[in-house]
Amino acid sequence: MTKQITTRPQLDIERAKNRFAMSDVVRRHVKLRKTGHEYVGLCPFHDENTPSFRVNDAKGLFHCFGCGASGDVIDFIRHVEGRSFVEAVCELLDEDGLPEATPQDRGKAERRDRADRAAAILAAQAEWHEARSIIGTPAEHYLRLRGIFGDMPPTVRFGRVPLWRNKKTGADGRRLPALLLGAQDHTGKIVGVQHVFLTEDGQKAPIANPKLSLGQVRGCAVRLAPPARRIILIEGPEDGLTMRQRVQRAPVWITLGTGMMPFVELPPEVEHVTLAGDNNAPGRAAVAKAMEEYQRQGRTVDAIFPPPAFEDWNDELRGIEMTPPSPA
Ligand SMILES: [Zn+2]
């Protein structure tokens, strides 16, 4: 009889993940504020002044829209406390200072989460339905100031939309002019809208967060062209429209956020993805992660960045406008 000498006590990873509300664990390191069905705070993984770090108890996940950091409660402990996977699991199993989350708690959080998401998608679709062409609007002016001209694809519109909405009461805030971008799911259906709030003369509105989204954005893309065998994924609306203008008929899709770049659910006809990244640390990290993910899906992938002097594609475009073109 051979004796198994490598046997170790089985670590109950599922129990470690589900014992606590994730927000309770995160709160030991990050000050969190509740917003809708999630919590938001300053990201512990990058320097920031406005919170883009979100925690969702129903999913047991965190995600930073600034640097793209994301994961479950074990990942969080590993990265924030510098521990190994096993150490993080043991810490959660041994923890006795936090209230345990019951399966009922999680079920309730999940149901509320689903209902909130469905309502937000309907609100986004209603808003999209009312939106119109940007021609002659502050949105057209805003894009012109960024060197972006010409015809717009149907996913780029203008609207006057409320700054905030209260899901419970149905009340909403002051309406501001906004550039609207329609986020499509993998079937091409609009399920979310990104707002860029503007002033009447086409400047970014002087508010804390001039870019807000309504409905579903994760997994979606703003398609500036229909699905094709090769597409270009790029983070932001201004960069995406810059790329579309620069490369005639380039099939550009916008991911609406650096951290979102790896998560677009692509339709099957897309075989090759070109990742057009930003020249900064979060941009490069998002491209690296996205490259891994789309390759894992069996797609071919390459990456391009603006020249080193420019942080993003629209900066480069405006840079070209300001200095005479050098002889190639
Ligand atoms: Zn971050």
Side-chain angles (χ1 to χ4, degrees), residues 7-308:
T7 303
R8 275 193 251 164
Q10 195 67 42
L11 281 176
D12 193 342
I13 294 164
E14 281 310 302
R15 177 168 152 77
K17 273 189 197 170
N18 295 321
R19 261 190 92 195
F20 308 110
M22 182 149 180
S23 55
D24 283 339
V25 178
V26 171
R27 222 183 253 112
R28 295 191 299 190
H29 298 278
V30 180
K31 196 174 160 195
L32 292 175
R33 175 170 60 78
K34 192 152 206 287
T35 165
H37 56 278
E38 295 190 327
Y39 293 85
V40 63
L42 293 175
C43 178
F45 303 112
H46 84 281
D47 258 338
E48 63 175 5
N49 298 319
T50 49
S52 41
F53 177 82
R54 284 175 171 258
V55 176
N56 185 310
D57 283 341
K59 293 183 196 144
L61 295 174
F62 70 91
H63 181 80
C64 174
F65 290 91
C67 67
S70 63
D72 61 22
V73 67
I74 298 173
D75 298 319
F76 179 79
I77 291 177
R78 280 172 56 212
H79 294 128
V80 91
E81 297 178 8
R83 297 187 186 260
S84 71
F85 181 83
V86 172
E87 285 168 344
V89 171
C90 291
E91 181 179 320
L92 287 162
L93 293 175
D94 295 342
E95 171 68 51
D96 56 10
L98 293 175
E100 295 210 14
T102 65
Q104 291 91 309
D105 289 342
R106 278 190 296 276
K108 209 170 123 193
E110 271 162 31
R111 280 192 301 278
R112 204 173 44 221
D113 208 44
R114 266 200 303 276
D116 283 356
R117 274 203 305 272
I121 288 173
L122 286 177
Q125 288 168 336
E127 190 176 286
W128 188 250
H129 191 69
E130 285 177 15
R132 65 176 190 89
S133 151
I134 71 162
I135 294 169
T137 72
E140 183 179 36
H141 196 59
Y142 172 78
L143 292 176
R144 273 176 194 271
L145 291 172
R146 273 153 192 78
I148 297 162
F149 303 91
D151 69 304
M152 285 295 137
T155 44
V156 178
R157 293 186 182 177
F158 171 78
R160 292 182 184 275
V161 295
L163 268 174
W164 52 265
R165 298 157 191 273
N166 185 315
K167 284 194 295 271
K168 287 196 189 100
T169 63
D172 58 22
R174 186 160 61 99
R175 282 175 183 260
L176 287 189
L179 171 66
L180 303 180
L181 300 127
Q184 290 159 279
D185 68 8
H186 69 283
T187 68
K189 193 165 77 173
I190 299 276
V191 290
V193 179
Q194 167 92 9
H195 308 126
V196 182
F197 286 110
L198 303 171
T199 61
E200 294 296 339
D201 61 351
Q203 308 288 333
K204 232 175 234 176
I207 53 176
N209 200 353
K211 288 191 177 183
L212 276 180
S213 62
L214 175 65
Q216 186 183 332
V217 168
R218 190 186 165 93
C220 299
V222 178
R223 302 178 180 182
L224 303 184
R229 280 180 53 216
R230 304 174 70 91
I231 61 157
I232 300 173
L233 285 185
I234 196 162
E235 302 177 10
E238 298 84 356
D239 290 329
L241 290 165
T242 299
M243 182 64 72
R244 174 177 179 268
Q245 172 167 298
R246 176 165 140 168
V247 184
Q248 276 299 310
R249 279 186 284 274
V252 177
W253 290 14
I254 299 163
T255 67
L256 297 176
T258 312
M260 298 294 194
M261 200 172 240
F263 303 113
V264 178
E265 287 176 35
L266 298 170
E269 55 261 59
V270 176
E271 293 168 10
H272 181 91
V273 181
T274 295
L275 303 164
D278 275 8
N279 258 338
N280 50 34
R284 290 192 179 270
V287 164
K289 193 168 173 191
M291 185 168 274
E292 209 175 280
E293 177 56 32
Y294 297 121
Q295 277 171 350
R296 198 185 55 75
Q297 296 169 7
R299 298 185 158 94
T300 53
V301 187
D302 61 1
I304 51 175
F305 292 91

